[in-house]
Amino acid sequence: MPRARTIVLAAGVALLARRAMRRRISRSPLWPMPALENPVSGTRASRAPSSLRLLVTGRTTPADGVVELHLEALDTADLPAWTPGAHVDLVLPSGLIRQYSLCGDPADRSTYTVATRLIEDGRGGSREVHEQLHEGAEVEVRGPRNRFPLTEAPSYLFVAGGIGITPVLPMLRAAEAAGADWKLLYGGRSRASMPYIEEIEKLAAPERVTIVAEDESGLPDVAAALADAAEDTAVYCCGPDPLMAAVTEALPAGRTLHLERFTPGAPSGAAGAFEVELRRTGRTVTVPADGTVLAAVRPEVPGVSYSCEQGFCGTCQQRVLEGEIDHRDELLTDSERDDSMLICVSRAYGDRLVLDL
């Protein structure tokens, strides 16, 4: 009995202490705190993809200026499963994060295969892959994720430009294995610069595949290919922005379009300056027409998380408390877009946003 009385007494004291603390908090000038219950700021725990340390076990050159890497686990465990259209994030030795489509066989759980073209005037990611990721190197890999899935359709038209063939290649294999009705229009600067031509030409009957090398035949006739596509055809396109713009413009009614891009999309809202209030910090910053929210925020919040600065990796996702968002990323789901944004690329439709920072 004495022990029972002690337990009851301790519980009563704890209850009174909690009530006293609530009264003190409610009288505080800082209550309620200017933030949401579960702020995203500075953390990606809820969306962070799985991370693996993989070993480069093979390296080939399937075309001029293109390097293909074979990545395997350091142990014997199977790699996470993936489906055609999926990509992984490579965390490069410098810390840069770049996205590369998986172009191998989804049934092979021992190896991931990615390929990248060297971009001479790029931001350094492709050069780092070409110069530093050789056989025996270890690299951090996140994912896989798929925002370009192959959906069921009566027929398919695949349009690829250059290195844009990488997410399409597993789709071609899957469509052919399933006996689906499909065609491919594949363009590039020259046949020597276009990876996987030989495999593609062996994959199916010649009438399914049209390969157009610019130095031989000019640009591919996108409009003609789309006009020949039957109604209800699913059109999948990956390649340079001009190619995707041409496909988008020429798309006939009744066809569904699926695009995969690894550069930020074209601006959708106004390009003018706007203000961003940092609710937790108590500061307001101005984002100029030619600047980003991330660049404006960093001097006030030096520890804010970011990485790719292109709207793909999601590291800079922040909760938005007020204001209409002009989303320019290629990552967030519709539900996430309701109350958060990637501050490296997205902007405001109006003249003001309030962030949970």
Side-chain angles (χ1 to χ4, degrees), residues 207-225:
E207 60 267 20
R208 288 191 185 276
V209 177
T210 301
I211 294 176
V212 181
E214 187 176 345
D215 62 348
E216 298 174 2
S217 309
L219 297 174
D221 192 342
V222 170

Side-chain angles (χ1 to χ4, degrees), residues 276 278 285 292-302 304 343 355 357:
V276 174
L278 310 178
V285 298
T292 66
V293 176
L294 174 62
V297 166
R298 284 183 62 198
E300 302 297 333
V301 188
V304 65
I343 62 173
L355 298 183
L357 269 175

Side-chain angles (χ1 to χ4, degrees), residues 28-53:
S28 170
L30 296 178
W31 182 263
M33 289 295 289
L36 300 182
E37 292 181 359
N38 299 302
V40 177
S41 310
T43 180
R44 294 279 298 158
S46 62
R47 283 185 47 85
S50 58
S51 179
L52 302 168
R53 293 293 299 181

Side-chain angles (χ1 to χ4, degrees), residues 136-279:
E138 291 185 21
V139 62
E140 182 183 348
V141 176
R142 299 175 183 172
R145 294 177 291 177
N146 198 340
R147 59 169 180 253
F148 192 46
L150 184 63
T151 59
E152 290 189 14
S155 60
Y156 300 92
L157 172 62
F158 301 101
V159 182
I163 199 64
I165 192 64
T166 51
V168 171
L169 185 59
M171 296 183 180
L172 301 180
R173 299 189 191 113
E176 181 64 15
D181 179 16
W182 66 271
K183 290 185 177 181
L184 167 69
L185 177 61
Y186 180 19
R189 293 192 303 271
S190 66
R191 288 182 68 90
S193 71
M194 300 166 66
Y196 308 116
I197 282 184
E198 291 186 5
E199 178 184 348
I200 291 169
E201 289 179 329
K202 294 177 181 177
L203 184 64
E207 60 267 20
R208 288 191 185 276
V209 177
T210 301
I211 294 176
V212 181
E214 187 176 345
D215 62 348
E216 298 174 2
S217 309
L219 297 174
D221 192 342
V222 170
L226 289 167
D228 289 342
E231 194 167 347
D232 295 328
T233 294
V235 179
Y236 281 79
C237 179
C238 184
D241 284 342
L243 174 66
M244 291 193 286
V247 170
T248 302
E249 183 176 351
L251 186 73
R255 287 73 171 170
T256 58
L257 179 59
H258 307 262
L259 299 174
E260 172 81 313
R261 66 176 78 241
F262 287 111
T263 57
S268 55
F274 59 95
E275 290 188 343
V276 174
E277 178 188 338
L278 310 178
R279 181 63 57 85

Side-chain angles (χ1 to χ4, degrees), residues 70-88:
H70 301 276
L71 309 171
E72 297 184 11
L74 297 175
D75 53 28
T76 58
D78 285 345
L79 296 175
W82 61 280
T83 55
H87 72 275
V88 292

